[in-house]
Amino acid sequence: MLAGSYFKYARKKKWVLLKIIMWAGGALLFFFAVSSTTGKLSKQSYLQTNRYACSAGKCTQAKFVKNVLENATFDSIELCRLLCQKYGTLWPLPTMIANMSQQVVEIDPNNIEVTYFTPDSATELFLKKTVNIFTKTLITECQGKPSTKPERLFKIGIRITSSGLDLDLKTEESYKIFVTTKNKGLVNVEINATTVYGARHGLETLLQLTGRHVISDLCSTLIVDTATIKDRPIFKYRGVLLDSSRNFLPVDTIKNVLSAMSSVKMNVLHWHITDSHSFPLYLTKLPLLSKYGAYSSQEIYTPEDVNNLVDYAKLRGIRIVMEIDAPAHAGNGWEFGEEVGLGKLVVCLNSEPWRDYCVQPPCGQLNPANPNLYFTLHNLYEELQSLIPAKDLFHMGGDEVHIPCWNASTEITDYMTAQGIPRTKEGFFTLWSDFQKKALEAWDEAVGHNKTTPILWSSQLTEIEYIEKYLDKNRYIIETWTGRYESLPEDLMAKGYSVIYATKDTWYLDHGFWGNTQYHTWKTVYDYIIPEDPKALGGEVLLWGELVDMDNVETKLWPRAAAIAERLWTSPQLTSNQVESRLWETRQRLRRRGHKIDQVIPEWCYLNDGKCPYI
């Protein structure tokens, strides 16, 4: 009975084993069949989902284009845009001529031969440093190991005619680029410019004529094989305001901003370095300003720091215009006067309730009744001149003077009485203009001449009915922070004043984070157009620092600041909807260079031009 049971179990086990073998064989045949089918589909699937097609100047995933041929597609959206659109991924657009081929050749970023044609050794040394920046950037952008070692030689010839290294409102920034591929073994580039700064801009444009071919961790650098570009900026002043008084910004953070600015050809960093909150600038002649005014001994800019930043900016075609705001927005730091026998240099310091004495806490305004103030300003300006020699520009601030502060100081009101100045609105304007006149004299003495053109914010003194009485149109530039529909900038230009636009309801990038202010998208920044008037020097985006520090300064600036870069370089007759894909590629380029950039669109929309009109 046990034996019978065993054989019955054995027969059952044999049948189960046979069934297992049959199932395994079927599964194996199914696997080969599916694998074969998958192999056939994978090429189509790859074509549909991992390649990009160009149609009517727009790039989309190939799966959205019917009957697309593989040889009409690209393996990256970046290369598609470089070759599909008339102007590739250039930002800002060139203003004169921009002809580019739709073919690319591979180059080796580590094998570049550069020839310099310069009037002297100083300009050649400068260009060598800018070429070094160019080469490092080219290598950085192609992240990963080189996929091949192209034998083609990449030759660049740079020719300039001016020996000047000054960077001011008269600096010539134009350039010409010619790219040719004469044979399989050579890519030849010629960059011609008047100044080193024009040549630097040309090198940045050359970077934007390149693209990447990336497979896994391998990367190749490609460049269009033919191009002719002639370019110059429309506006002379293309700036970013950084505020390091409300929150301290480390030197490396400011350098990151400068690097990003250079990538879109912006040329002025307006550094609002002091305010009533803090005075972080260490001056050897006035060391107590930072001793009392800095947040800590670690949050100070030394002369070496400033020199370092000036040199760093200059190599990238950027000048630093430092602002020492006065007579308002001056508080902490200035209290040292009484300690050293100079009397009260500042009044209303940290007064409460603050709304009675200033527009924003902490309060403080310089004391125009104290003659020692102007001696102190002279020493301050003199040292600034040694740090940032001002060939033409210096920002003297000059906005938001709060009359009740001065009116609450008996020292000031007694001075007004002695001078025969009535305590009326016009009387306080006279006091204010008297301060400005004496401050300008202190500045001129520090500089050694009166040929500069200081910048002042628009204020009550710059109102059309007052300005000619108080401010000389041949000495001052007015930076207008009015609304987009206000006529003050145009009215000032009609009277002969030069103007820098700082339009608050379009170009203030701190808006939308506090109070009832409204956030300005990159499209708002781009679509605001200023007149091409000889008296319109340009404009800037402004990132006031109340809610900004090293952790978010770049995301709040970029890519919105890039929008004003094209607006001020090119002044194109285009809307933001017509340029968005180039802006997206500019954002990606900044990310590859290591910058922290705000996101402006879902990735799917980035990969498919024109399919997200709601963004």
Side-chain angles (χ1 to χ4, degrees), residues 358-378:
C358 60
V359 297
Q360 178 190 49
C363 295
Q365 281 184 187
L366 296 180
N367 179 4
N370 183 351
N372 291 323
L373 172 64
Y374 305 103
F375 166 77
T376 305
L377 285 174
H378 174 272

Side-chain angles (χ1 to χ4, degrees), residues 153-201:
L153 181 61
F154 186 28
K155 294 182 67 174
I156 303 175
I158 304 176
R159 185 185 304 274
I160 64 167
T161 56
S162 172
S163 60
L165 293 175
D166 289 342
L167 192 53
D168 54 35
L169 290 175
K170 296 179 181 179
T171 298
E172 175 61 57
E173 297 179 272
S174 63
Y175 66 91
K176 300 175 184 177
I177 295 180
F178 305 97
V179 179
T180 56
T181 308
K182 296 180 179 179
N183 53 58
K184 292 184 178 180
L186 175 65
V187 176
N188 191 65
V189 177
E190 295 180 28
I191 299 177
N192 298 325
T194 301
T195 68
V196 294
Y197 304 108
R200 191 227 70 87
H201 294 327

Side-chain angles (χ1 to χ4, degrees), residues 240 242 252-262 269 318 553-554 557-558 595:
V240 168
L242 279 189
D252 285 347
T253 298
I254 298 175
K255 284 184 175 181
N256 287 342
V257 172
L258 289 166
S259 294
M261 288 174 62
S262 71
L269 177 68
I318 301 167
V553 61
E554 286 202 283
L557 272 177
W558 308 106
H595 299 287

Side-chain angles (χ1 to χ4, degrees), residues 3-22:
S5 298
Y6 172 78
F7 284 114
K8 183 185 280 188
Y9 170 76
R11 286 195 300 271
K12 184 177 181 181
K13 186 174 181 180
K14 191 173 182 179
W15 170 243
V16 170
L17 182 61
L18 181 61
K19 288 179 72 176
I20 290 173
I21 292 171
M22 291 174 66

Side-chain angles (χ1 to χ4, degrees), residues 576-601:
S576 57
N577 290 334
Q578 295 171 290
V579 306
E580 57 187 6
S581 66
R582 284 191 300 107
L583 188 279
W584 299 339
E585 284 304 326
T586 300
R587 178 189 180 273
Q588 297 301 95
R589 183 160 54 239
L590 286 167
R591 286 186 70 235
R592 291 195 296 271
R593 296 184 185 185
H595 299 287
K596 302 297 182 182
I597 312 299
D598 198 16
Q599 182 56 277
V600 294
I601 199 167

Side-chain angles (χ1 to χ4, degrees), residues 246-292:
R246 272 65 180 232
N247 285 298
F248 183 83
L249 297 174
V251 169
D252 285 347
T253 298
I254 298 175
K255 284 184 175 181
N256 287 342
V257 172
L258 289 166
S259 294
M261 288 174 62
S262 71
S263 73
V264 290
K265 303 185 178 72
M266 302 183 86
N267 68 348
V268 180
L269 177 68
H270 174 177
W271 191 1
H272 185 87
I273 193 171
T274 67
D275 209 285
S276 57
H277 301 72
S278 74
F279 198 108
L281 177 63
Y282 175 80
L283 299 170
T284 57
K285 291 185 176 182
L286 298 166
L288 294 181
L289 272 170
S290 59
K291 177 182 178 181
Y292 286 107

Side-chain angles (χ1 to χ4, degrees), residues 279-565:
F279 198 108
L281 177 63
Y282 175 80
L283 299 170
T284 57
K285 291 185 176 182
L286 298 166
L288 294 181
L289 272 170
S290 59
K291 177 182 178 181
Y292 286 107
Y295 288 129
S296 74
S297 60
Q298 303 303 311
E299 295 168 292
I300 285 176
Y301 301 105
T302 66
E304 292 75 21
D305 290 333
V306 176
N307 288 332
N308 188 357
L309 283 168
V310 169
D311 291 342
Y312 188 91
K314 197 170 184 179
L315 279 175
R316 289 157 178 79
I318 301 167
R319 63 190 304 196
I320 294 179
V321 174
M322 188 178 285
E323 178 187 352
I324 304 294
D325 208 346
H329 291 282
N332 289 288
W334 288 94
E335 66 265 39
F336 79 91
E338 291 180 274
E339 179 181 317
V340 298
L342 295 176
K344 277 190 175 182
L345 300 175
V346 65
V347 295
C348 311
L349 181 63
N350 300 319
S351 292
E352 294 286 351
W354 63 267
R355 287 180 178 82
D356 292 344
Y357 301 98
C358 60
V359 297
Q360 178 190 49
C363 295
Q365 281 184 187
L366 296 180
N367 179 4
N370 183 351
N372 291 323
L373 172 64
Y374 305 103
F375 166 77
T376 305
L377 285 174
H378 174 272
N379 287 339
L380 189 160
Y381 295 153
E382 194 170 55
E383 187 156 354
L384 283 182
Q385 274 295 289
S386 68
L387 298 176
I388 306 179
K391 301 295 182 183
D392 55 350
L393 299 183
F394 170 62
H395 208 301
M396 302 184 79
D399 68 329
E400 295 187 325
V401 168
H402 203 57
I403 299 301
C405 168
W406 280 344
N407 198 32
S409 167
T410 56
E411 183 177 345
I412 291 175
T413 56
D414 288 348
Y415 171 82
M416 293 175 70
T417 300
Q419 297 295 315
I421 303 173
R423 291 170 64 182
T424 61
K425 176 182 176 181
E426 290 74 16
F428 279 103
F429 284 2
T430 298
L431 177 68
W432 182 358
S433 65
D434 185 55
F435 162 84
Q436 188 57 48
K437 177 182 177 182
K438 292 177 180 177
L440 182 60
E441 290 172 353
W443 167 255
D444 288 343
E445 289 174 4
V447 175
H449 58 78
N450 63 355
K451 305 300 182 184
T452 62
T453 48
I455 305 169
L456 287 176
W457 291 110
S458 57
S459 67
Q460 290 168 297
L461 285 190
T462 68
E463 292 176 4
I464 291 302
E465 62 267 36
Y466 297 120
I467 188 168
E468 290 180 303
K469 179 179 178 181
Y470 298 124
L471 301 171
D472 184 354
K473 69 185 68 176
N474 297 314
R475 283 307 309 271
Y476 290 106
I477 295 168
I478 309 302
E479 182 165 12
T480 56
W481 58 288
T482 50
R484 77 179 87 178
Y485 300 116
E486 295 181 56
S487 64
L488 179 64
E490 291 76 19
D491 293 342
L492 289 174
M493 290 188 290
K495 283 187 174 290
Y497 289 87
S498 294
V499 167
I500 296 169
Y501 281 76
T503 308
K504 62 184 179 182
D505 55 2
T506 52
W507 290 349
Y508 269 42
L509 302 189
D510 62 304
H511 280 197
F513 298 98
W514 59 272
N516 295 320
T517 58
Q518 182 176 353
Y519 183 88
H520 310 313
T521 68
W522 76 266
K523 291 190 172 187
T524 301
V525 174
Y526 190 91
D527 289 334
Y528 176 64
I529 300 173
I530 66 174
E532 293 181 37
D533 188 293
K535 290 293 183 180
L537 302 181
E540 61 187 21
V541 286
L542 304 96
L543 187 58
W544 295 105
E546 286 86 348
L547 302 176
V548 177
D549 64 9
M550 62 184 291
D551 295 319
N552 65 359
V553 61
E554 286 202 283
T555 55
K556 286 189 173 181
L557 272 177
W558 308 106
R560 293 188 292 165
I564 197 177

